[in-house]
């Protein structure tokens, strides 16, 4: 049928390229292209959607270019062979992808046509990397400013509106000029990057997949390029024409004009003016029904003939074996475990999990030039790392490294931005604040500054800023080390509703060299200036001087409410003492933060030098402990089974149990075991003899009873009753005969078996040393 269809097509369209109908498979056997598809649904959630199927096929297979590029391939391998070798032409890619899509419930078709050079050669060097596409974020409206009734009115704007309009006009003109220059530069850049004209434009053969709307809630028709796994509109300019399409049920030839590509094509396969089918189906049946009216009998006869004819032309089942992808192949994903894709000013490298020791799965290198010789940014994605590292971004120009971590670290580190892992350098650390006892969310460190931000603390602290001085040498009883002096510490607090605003601290500043502490309270609702207090700490006792006493002149401040009772000296002194204790605690916390930074940096250095990957206990292929445990369990089970089997075959096992399982037998114990075993065996032989004799006696007694019954009632019996009686007697005599034969055979073989057992006991490993 395919050959007949090919001849008709060649006769009607002699100038067209021959159709791809029956290429040979990997075994050199001609197979129709529709039977090469094998609809398959694999048990992987990733392959339930077209995106997952397309991504898997593009990642799993390597492309073999058509040679020559303007001819159809002579061979179309089965999807199972293609998945096994992980290599194939674009037609092999389409067959595998279409088989997976059909199994997932999509209305998918393989397409044979023509495409651009870049698409046929899988050249993505002029395309932007998908990972670099800007993400569109919705604009969020800012919070409206609440105006109070008695708020201070802003000052009048005394600037000239004319000058303002002129300034805006100049800015708009400058902006338009800059935009024009940018567009012109982009146009020139595109002209420069435009590839040379392709002499084979419109002649390069390519295959892709067509997905029609309807099934799986697909809203509109679209193309899928199996080489890249990307979807395209049916009007995309990269697709230059279509010769034919097919699925696992039929084959269609395109009769539409493709001078302007696929932009004006329709994909209604039932439209016979635009598509020609190979096997008659519902379309041909509906067209044949439009004819002259016929009688009822003629209609029924013709419908039966049409149904028989349709059954004859149904597409045969696929010759391809069932598609199967193992979990190991699914995890390995790429040919050889890795794949490299070249984009415009970018190179994307993909790796299988556990392939690299550092857990790297994706690496994106961004370059400054088109030749990809000057890298500017390197982005890396990781999986299964014990240090929970998820992403890393390195800017080669500034040497700035940014790292993102998953939850699970003991230090709750979420984000780390640094230039070097040396302490007291510029860096930023973000933490998972809800997992830390101190609620630390961010720590920004500079050579002479450190800023910490907190969340959800019970003391309402949310901000701390530290200014350092020069390093000094500190000598203690145990060690001597250098540390930076604290010059200024600023802390800010959220509002505590349980306290009045005038007594709720909003900000406190510790100025260590000046020996001052400044406290600012929260602003009251009906005030525009907050209350504040400034303390000067008394000097401590020295070698030749006494400690300075506290005086009211050491305190200055402002109290908003003039009617409120001012603080007395005792209250001020107590407040100063409390603030000095807080200053000591704050200094301890700052030193703890410095130690934590050093600890984190040290652990990061160790983690990078000795990277460990997490392996699930269910992954017995990689988890050595789990694999060893399973081997031990299997070995123990086999040993137990072997011991049980040996125990069951050991004749002396039950008799040894009576003696308490002694390790070594004495002569008396050996004789006792032999005697007990032979006595037990002799008893079993006698029991078997008694059992057979009892069965013979029972059968004989029942037969005699039946014969007596017959003698009493033979005059009144029917023919059927006599036949039943004769049958019973024959069966009973046969059973008695068999039992007598068994009894005689048993009596003949019993002494022989007894002697064999006696010889076997003499050769038993436990008794041989006593009797041989």
């Amino acid at each position: 049928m395919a050959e007949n269809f090919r001849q008709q097509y060649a006769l009607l369209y002699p100038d067209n390229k021959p159709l791809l109908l029956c290429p040979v498979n990997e075994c050199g056997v001609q197979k129709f292209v529709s039977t090469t598809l094998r609809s398959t649904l694999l048990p992987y959630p990733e392959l339930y959607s077209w995106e997952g199927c397309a991504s898997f096929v593009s990642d799993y297979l390597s492309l073999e270019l058509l040679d020559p590029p303007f001819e159809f391939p002579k061979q179309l391998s089965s999807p199972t062979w293609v998945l096994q070798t992980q290599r194939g032409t674009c037609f092999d890619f389409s067959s595998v992808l279409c088989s997976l899509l059909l199994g997932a419930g999509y209305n998918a078709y393989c397409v044979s046509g023509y495409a651009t050079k870049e698409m046929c050669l899988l050249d993505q060097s002029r395309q932007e990397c998908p990972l670099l596409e800007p993400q569109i974020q919705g604009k969020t409206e800012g919070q409206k400013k609440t105006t109070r009734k008695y708020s201070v009115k802003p000052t009048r704007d005394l600037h000239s509106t004319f000058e303002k309009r002129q300034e805006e006009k100049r800015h708009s003109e400058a902006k338009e000029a800059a935009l024009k220059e940018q567009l012109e530069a982009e146009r020139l850049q595109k002209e420069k990057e435009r590839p040379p004209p392709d002499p084979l434009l419109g002649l390069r053969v390519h295959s892709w997949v067509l997905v029609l709307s309807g099934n799986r809630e697909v809203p509109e028709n679209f193309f899928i390029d199996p080489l890249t796994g990307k979807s395209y509109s049916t009007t995309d300019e990269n697709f230059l024409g279509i010769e034919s399409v097919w699925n696992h049920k039929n084959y269609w030839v395109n009769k539409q004009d493709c001078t302007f590509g696929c932009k004006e094509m329709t994909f209604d396969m039932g439209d016979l003016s635009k598509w020609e089918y190979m096997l008659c189906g519902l379309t041909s049946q509906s067209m044949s029904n439009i004819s002259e009216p016929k009688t009822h009998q003629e209609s029924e006869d013709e419908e039966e003939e049409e149904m028989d004819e349709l059954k004859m032309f149904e597409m045969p089942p696929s010759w391809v074996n069932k598609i199967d992808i193992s979990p190991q192949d699914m995890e390995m994903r790429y040919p050889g475990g890795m794949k490299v894709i070249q984009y415009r000013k970018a190179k994307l490298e993909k790796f299988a999990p556990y392939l690299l020791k550092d857990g790297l799965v994706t690496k994106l290198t961004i370059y400054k030039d088109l030749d990809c010789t000057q890298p500017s940014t390197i982005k890396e994605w990781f999986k299964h790392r014990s240090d929970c590292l998820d992403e890393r971004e390195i800017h080669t120009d500034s040497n700035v490294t940014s790292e993102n971590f998953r939850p699970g670290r003991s230090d709750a580190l979420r984000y780390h931005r640094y230039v070097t892992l040396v302490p007291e350098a510029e860096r930023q650390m973000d933490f998972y604040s809800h997992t830390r006892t101190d609620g630390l969310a961010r720590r920004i460190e500079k050579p002479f500054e450190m800023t910490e931000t907190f969340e959800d603390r019970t003391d309402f602290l949310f901000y701390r800023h530290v200014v350092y001085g020069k390093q000094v040498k500190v000598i203690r009883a145990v060690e001597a080390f250098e540390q930076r002096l604290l010059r200024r510490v600023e802390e800010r607090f959220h509002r505590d509703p349980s306290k009045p605003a005038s007594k709720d601290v909003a900000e406190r500043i510790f100025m260590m060299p000046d020996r001052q502490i400044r406290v600012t309270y929260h602003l009251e609702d009906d005030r525009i200036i907050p209350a504040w207090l400034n303390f000067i700490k008394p000097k401590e006792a020295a070698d030749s001087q006494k400690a300075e006493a506290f005086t009211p002149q050491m305190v200055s401040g402002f109290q908003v409410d003039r009617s409120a009772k001012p603080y007395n000296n005792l209250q001020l002194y107590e407040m100063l003492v409390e603030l000095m204790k807080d200053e000591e605690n704050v200094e301890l916390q700052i030193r703890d933060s410095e130690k934590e930074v050093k600890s984190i940096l040290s652990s990061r250095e160790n983690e990078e030098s000795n990277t460990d990957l997490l392996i699930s206990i269910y992954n017995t292929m990689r988890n050595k402990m789990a694999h060893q445990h399973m081997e031990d369990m299997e070995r123990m089970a086999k040993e137990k089974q072997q011991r049980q089997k040996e125990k069951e075959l050991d004749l002396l096992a039950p008799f040894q149990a009576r003696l308490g399982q002694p390790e070594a037998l004495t002569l008396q114990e050996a004789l006792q075991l032999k005697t007990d075993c032979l006595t037990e065996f002799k008893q079993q032989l006698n029991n078997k003899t008694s059992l057979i004799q009892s069965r013979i006696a029972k059968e004989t007694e029942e037969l005699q009873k039946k014969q007596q019954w017959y003698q009493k009632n033979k005059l009144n019996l029917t023919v059927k009753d006599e036949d039943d009686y004769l049958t019973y007697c024959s069966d009973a005599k046969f059973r008695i005969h068999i039992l007598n034969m068994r009894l005689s055979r048993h009596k003949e073989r019993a002494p022989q078996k007894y002697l064999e057992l006696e010889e076997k006991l003499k050769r038993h490993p436990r008794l041989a040393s006593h009797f041989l």
Side-chain angles (χ1 to χ4, degrees), residues 38-42 47-50 53 97-109 210-218 248-249:
R38 177 66 185 263
S39 176
T40 305
L41 179 63
L42 295 172
L47 303 182
Y48 293 168
S49 63
W50 73 262
C53 293
L97 179 57
C98 191
S99 299
L100 297 178
L101 292 177
L102 290 172
Y106 289 94
N107 190 12
Y109 301 81
L210 165 67
V211 179
L212 296 184
S213 60
N215 293 12
R216 293 292 303 270
E217 299 181 357
V218 176
H248 62 305
K249 294 182 179 179

Side-chain angles (χ1 to χ4, degrees), residues 651-652 655 672-682 757 761:
L651 299 174
L652 299 179
F655 305 101
Q672 182 67 29
L673 284 176
K674 180 182 177 183
T675 304
D676 293 345
C677 185
L678 292 174
T679 304
E680 183 73 20
F681 184 67
K682 186 176 182 180
L757 177 60
L761 291 175

Side-chain angles (χ1 to χ4, degrees), residues 400-411:
V400 175
T401 303
S402 301
E403 297 175 336
N404 289 284
F405 299 86
R406 300 186 306 274
R409 290 181 61 91
S410 59
D411 52 19

Side-chain angles (χ1 to χ4, degrees), residues 340-361:
V340 181
I341 305 175
Q342 191 71 40
Y343 291 101
R344 182 181 179 274
K345 294 185 178 182
K347 182 176 69 172
L348 180 63
E349 301 172 72
K350 298 180 179 180
F351 305 92
Y354 299 105
L355 181 68
L356 301 181
K357 294 182 179 180
D358 59 352
L360 181 66
V361 294

Side-chain angles (χ1 to χ4, degrees), residues 90-122:
C90 55
F91 288 85
D92 297 324
F93 274 66
S94 298
S95 298
V96 175
L97 179 57
C98 191
S99 299
L100 297 178
L101 292 177
L102 290 172
Y106 289 94
N107 190 12
Y109 301 81
C110 287
V111 180
S112 173
Y114 308 93
T116 58
K117 178 181 178 181
E118 289 75 15
M119 182 163 288
C120 294
L121 301 181
L122 189 56

Side-chain angles (χ1 to χ4, degrees), residues 48 69 90 93 183 243 290 322 413 461 515 544 556 559 561 567 613 615 619 641 695 735:
Y48 293 168
C90 55
F93 274 66
L183 293 176
E243 288 286 351
I290 305 175
K322 182 181 178 182
L413 185 63
L461 175 67
R515 305 184 59 83
S544 59
S556 61
Q559 192 168 354
D561 190 1
Y567 296 109
L613 301 182
I615 300 176
N619 191 347
Q641 185 178 4
R695 289 181 178 177
R735 290 194 294 271

